[in-house]
Amino acid sequence: MSLQRRVIVSSIDYSDDKIDITGNMYSLPEQNGIMIIDRQDANGNATPSLQEIIIYTILDYNASGLSLRGVQRGAMGSSATSHMAGASIELVLTGPVNFSNPLKDELKKLL
């Protein structure tokens, strides 16, 4: 599976529930997406100590760009943490979220 990569526009801390990202909205679902932050650095090197899985409920497209809203931080056993502006963020899954063990196992294969 190829992940759809974007970047975070401005730094976020562990408690932010809104994340501004680059790109257009055409390949992102308007609701219920699962994304990984900092899976890799800009050179494509894995960054496991920085990775965080998030779940967003709404994709908001406005004059200043894209915003993920209603973000659940530190999802599926990951830890909510701070991320710098320019950190990669990639879409992994869309649709209703099911926290079953098989889903967790599939996500682990990507990391």
Side-chain angles (χ1 to χ4, degrees):
M1 169 193 289
S2 71
L3 303 178
Q4 299 173 19
R5 187 177 186 281
R6 291 172 164 60
V7 298
I8 294 174
V9 174
S10 56
S11 296
I12 57 172
D13 71 23
Y14 71 93
S15 64
D16 287 327
D17 64 355
K18 175 183 158 284
I19 301 173
D20 296 324
I21 63 173
T22 61
N24 60 48
M25 63 182 279
Y26 297 111
S27 57
L28 290 177
E30 293 181 19
Q31 299 178 24
N32 302 323
I34 299 177
M35 300 187 87
I36 297 177
I37 303 173
D38 275 329
R39 183 177 70 91
Q40 295 179 331
D41 64 19
N43 296 317
N45 299 311
T47 55
S49 64
L50 300 176
Q51 292 175 4
E52 177 183 355
I53 298 172
I54 64 160
I55 300 170
Y56 69 89
T57 55
I58 300 290
L59 174 66
D60 181 24
Y61 185 72
N62 52 55
S64 59
L66 294 175
S67 296
L68 306 175
R69 297 188 182 273
V71 176
Q72 176 188 340
R73 303 291 304 276
M76 304 179 86
S78 67
S79 295
T81 188
S82 298
H83 299 277
M84 303 291 290
S88 67
I89 183 165
E90 301 165 289
L91 179 67
V92 179
L93 297 171
T94 64
V97 177
N98 176 357
F99 292 102
S100 66
N101 284 332
L103 177 59
K104 288 180 185 177
D105 291 343
E106 288 303 311
L107 280 173
K108 286 179 184 176
K109 290 178 189 176
L110 293 172
L111 302 176

